[in-house]
Amino acid sequence: MAEAAVPLSNDTQPAFPLVGAPRDALRARLAELGVPDRQVGMRASQLWNWLYVRGATDFGAMTNLSKAARADFAHHLTIARPEIIDEQHSSDGTVKWLIRFAPGAEAEAVYIPEADRGTLCISSQVGCTLNCTFCHTGTQRLVRNLTAGEIVSQLLIAKDRLGEWALQAEAKGQGRRLITNIVFMGMGEPLYNFANVRDAVHILSDPEGLSISKRRITLSTAGVVPEIPRAGQEMGVMLAISLHGVTDEVRNRLVPLNKKYPIAELMAACRAYPGLSNAKRITFEYVMLKGVNDSEADARKLVRLLEGIPAKINLIPFNPWPDALYDCSDWETIETFADIVNRAGYASPVRTPRGRDIMAACGQLKSASQKQRASARRAIAPAGLDAGTGKVRQTAAH
Ligand code: SAH
């Protein structure tokens, strides 16, 4: 098909990052670049397909675009991946990547293969504001929110490194997927980065692109109550709540955000979560801390709290990190706790810690990124994705 030459736009504009741009923003940018109106929709779809179905990292590969269009897009748009700083392999198959989005802005993503699924755990912020006392990330201050593009890029990078694009393309679309589920359970509080997380969710779940069903995307929150209804309405994802305590006294100590949004308000928001049903249950995460929240009375109180909420409970054995103030509950204690919850009719799988040997398990993520002074922060603000994917250092421990 003949391709209209695309006139160059103003050269002083920084390259526009395509990954993470909502479709309408992408179309608007193409129109600004001089793509004729009648072609904008088609060009946007072509780019979308290259980015999110074929995993292109280079405009040169986009063979259904004319050479002139490829060169012009390469000049004005960027699809560079953020840089992988480190890749570690656990003996259990878990893989953890440390990703540098910009100088001084690093966060981690973790791939957890299981028999019936593959889950990618992604970060929504560099650092965190919440200071949960049992969480390693909580000891790192917030550096900044990740952009929608930086959030989506974590999936693109994982697919690159796992070789999933090629597997998916195999045998005329009958190919395999390694990553079937996404959890926002990496670094940061996703509901404190609402707009970017929402835009990312729309791209991750787009049926003509990455196509991860919203039923397989779980957003975990420490309980930012006012944003919970919006998450249901505007994202429609599965919800997980980091509960961890059944009285305000204990939960205030573990999750200081509870002082702002106490348990009763949190439970009310859960009961009202849009789309909640037996098929779309809320997951309650509960970290088992020895002598703190693991008694039989706590288990019974938990059951009473959840009454009327379609729920499942994830009991997470505490994952230790250097200088942590807590110990993991004994195995018998965890089993007794799980039994009480199970007998009340709730599924309560004890989550097998994954990737502990590479500090990739729940709550162990932390990057060396430090909060900068405002002036320095502006310098690393997310104007676009950092260019270049340097060589990946393998610290494999298979
Ligand atoms: N801020 C969000 C997203 C982080 S999810 C939230 O709080 O839900 C990370 C999950 O791991 C949370 O449930 C968190 O409470 C849990 N976690 C944190 N530190 C942990 C640790 N040391 N051991 C086990 N789980 C931990």
Side-chain angles (χ1 to χ4, degrees), residues 128-348:
C128 193
T129 53
L130 292 178
N131 305 114
C132 298
T133 50
F134 54 91
C135 178
H136 200 199
T137 310
T139 64
Q140 181 184 2
R141 295 176 68 188
L142 178 72
V143 176
R144 69 160 164 86
N145 284 334
L146 293 177
T147 64
E150 290 165 341
I151 295 169
V152 171
S153 292
Q154 296 171 58
L155 176 57
L156 305 186
I157 281 180
K159 285 164 84 90
D160 292 346
R161 295 298 302 156
L162 297 172
E164 193 186 284
W165 303 108
L167 286 176
Q168 236 172 270
E170 258 171 27
K172 295 200 180 73
Q174 301 299 301
R176 278 191 311 132
R177 269 178 181 243
L178 299 177
I179 299 169
T180 56
N181 293 54
I182 302 270
V183 294
F184 281 89
M185 295 186 187
M187 295 167 62
E189 169 50 52
L191 293 187
Y192 278 155
N193 186 13
F194 192 94
N196 290 324
V197 168
R198 177 199 52 210
D199 288 353
V201 162
H202 290 154
I203 293 173
L204 296 170
S205 59
D206 187 295
E208 283 160 35
L210 292 161
S211 162
I212 308 255
S213 146
K214 288 183 178 184
R215 308 281 302 257
R216 290 173 172 273
I217 301 179
T218 301
L219 182 150
S220 178
T221 178
V224 186
V225 166
E227 304 290 358
I228 289 177
R230 280 181 74 206
Q233 285 149 9
E234 297 180 34
M235 300 190 211
V237 288
M238 304 296 285
L239 185 66
I241 301 285
S242 292
L243 189 61
H244 308 315
V246 291
T247 63
D248 283 324
E249 189 265 321
V250 171
R251 194 165 190 268
N252 283 347
R253 261 194 291 143
L254 300 177
V255 183
L257 184 67
N258 192 71
K259 293 179 202 155
K260 207 163 168 190
Y261 306 118
I263 293 177
E265 287 179 28
L266 179 57
M267 289 302 148
C270 289
R271 284 201 171 81
Y273 188 63
L276 184 63
S277 68
N278 262 330
K280 270 190 99 176
R281 286 177 291 171
I282 295 178
T283 301
F284 289 85
E285 295 152 283
Y286 197 94
V287 61
M288 297 299 293
L289 303 171
K290 190 179 205 154
V292 176
N293 63 358
D294 61 353
S295 72
E296 296 183 27
D298 288 325
R300 285 191 293 268
K301 184 97 204 278
L302 176 59
V303 168
R304 283 200 298 278
L305 269 185
L306 298 181
E307 215 177 283
I309 305 180
K312 56 188 167 213
I313 295 145
N314 251 333
L315 297 178
I316 316 176
F318 172 67
N319 292 306
W321 40 272
D323 302 324
L325 300 168
Y326 302 97
D327 293 311
C328 184
S329 309
D330 300 325
W331 204 249
E332 304 90 271
T333 311
I334 298 181
E335 283 188 337
T336 309
F337 196 104
D339 275 351
I340 294 173
V341 176
N342 270 325
R343 277 204 302 274
Y346 294 101
S348 58

Side-chain angles (χ1 to χ4, degrees), residues 2-160:
E3 182 90 16
V6 181
L8 289 181
S9 75
N10 178 359
D11 258 9
T12 57
Q13 261 187 313
F16 174 86
L18 279 194
V19 174
R23 271 176 188 270
D24 50 352
L26 168 55
R27 277 197 282 261
R29 187 74 182 113
L30 293 179
E32 269 171 36
L33 286 179
V35 174
D37 279 356
R38 63 192 156 74
Q39 286 189 10
V40 163
M42 178 184 65
R43 292 289 170 256
S45 294
Q46 286 171 324
L47 287 169
W48 201 266
N49 184 271
W50 279 111
L51 285 180
Y52 300 128
V53 177
R54 307 204 220 184
T57 55
D58 178 2
F59 288 99
M62 302 184 180
T63 44
N64 55 357
L65 301 178
S66 75
K67 272 203 175 135
R70 277 182 256 166
D72 194 46
F73 289 166
H75 192 64
H76 295 286
L77 312 173
T78 174
I79 53 173
R81 301 276 201 262
E83 189 180 357
I84 303 174
I85 304 296
D86 195 15
E87 173 176 296
Q88 293 185 55
H89 293 250
S90 162
S91 52
D92 69 14
T94 300
V95 186
K96 180 171 88 169
W97 294 277
L98 174 63
I99 302 168
R100 178 176 291 154
F101 297 99
E106 295 168 4
E108 295 180 315
V110 179
Y111 169 64
I112 307 142
E114 288 175 86
D116 60 339
R117 69 179 74 183
T119 302
L120 187 71
C121 176
I122 61 180
S123 293
S124 56
Q125 299 181 312
V126 178
C128 193
T129 53
L130 292 178
N131 305 114
C132 298
T133 50
F134 54 91
C135 178
H136 200 199
T137 310
T139 64
Q140 181 184 2
R141 295 176 68 188
L142 178 72
V143 176
R144 69 160 164 86
N145 284 334
L146 293 177
T147 64
E150 290 165 341
I151 295 169
V152 171
S153 292
Q154 296 171 58
L155 176 57
L156 305 186
I157 281 180
K159 285 164 84 90
D160 292 346

